[in-house]
């Protein structure tokens, strides 16, 4: 029973992420932000300025893909590129004032949705679900690294 439930949990993560992405995308209407630009802005907001390789590590995706995401955010004026004194070929990405204000508004709106969603869930249920998802994710990542 436990194995089947874990299997279902893993396979339900894809429709969950698709639904979450759809909700996030709807929340970005009129902002000129894409879901992927929003991800860059959130990392910069929560963790401060970063290089593209640092952003890629946090997002756990390829550096080249993050570069495309950053190029879009740069062209839209949500982030700016700064000289990196540690590495000439790896500039630092930072939020512009406009990008900072926008991501704060977006996160605040998303937190309102989370509050509504959580009304019928106990703190314990949410904590348990988070604990299980983090443990399964960590285990799967370790298994994937072993095969590389």
């Amino acid at each position: 029973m436990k194995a089947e439930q874990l299997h279902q949990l893993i396979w339900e993560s894809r429709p969950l992420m698709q639904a979450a992405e759809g909700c996030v995308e709807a929340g970005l209407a009129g902002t000129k932000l894409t879901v992927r630009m929003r991800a860059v802005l959130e990392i910069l907001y929560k963790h401060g300025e970063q290089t593209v390789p640092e952003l890629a590590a946090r997002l756990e995706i390829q550096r080249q893909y993050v570069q495309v995401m950053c190029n879009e955010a740069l062209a839209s004026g949500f982030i700016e590129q700064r000289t990196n004194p540690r590495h000439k070929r790896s500039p630092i990405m930072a939020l512009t004032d406009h990008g900072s204000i926008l991501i704060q508004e977006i996160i605040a709106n998303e937190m309102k949705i989370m509050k509504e969603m959580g009304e019928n869930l106990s703190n314990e249920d949410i904590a348990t679900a988070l604990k299980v998802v983090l443990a399964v994710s960590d285990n799967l990542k370790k298994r994937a690294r072993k095969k590389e």
Side-chain angles (χ1 to χ4, degrees), residues 74-104:
L74 282 163
S76 298
F78 298 121
I79 67 173
E80 61 188 11
Q81 192 171 286
R82 297 182 182 162
T83 303
N84 184 349
R86 295 176 289 144
H87 196 286
K88 289 181 183 179
R89 292 182 48 196
S90 188
I92 294 170
M93 302 296 164
L95 289 171
T96 60
D97 289 341
H98 176 61
S100 181
I101 291 166
L102 183 58
I103 194 64
Q104 288 177 62

Side-chain angles (χ1 to χ4, degrees), residues 130-143:
L130 181 59
K131 180 180 174 183
V132 170
V133 167
L134 290 173
V136 170
S137 180
D138 185 56
N139 190 294
L140 289 171
K141 288 175 189 176
K142 285 178 183 173
R143 289 173 184 273

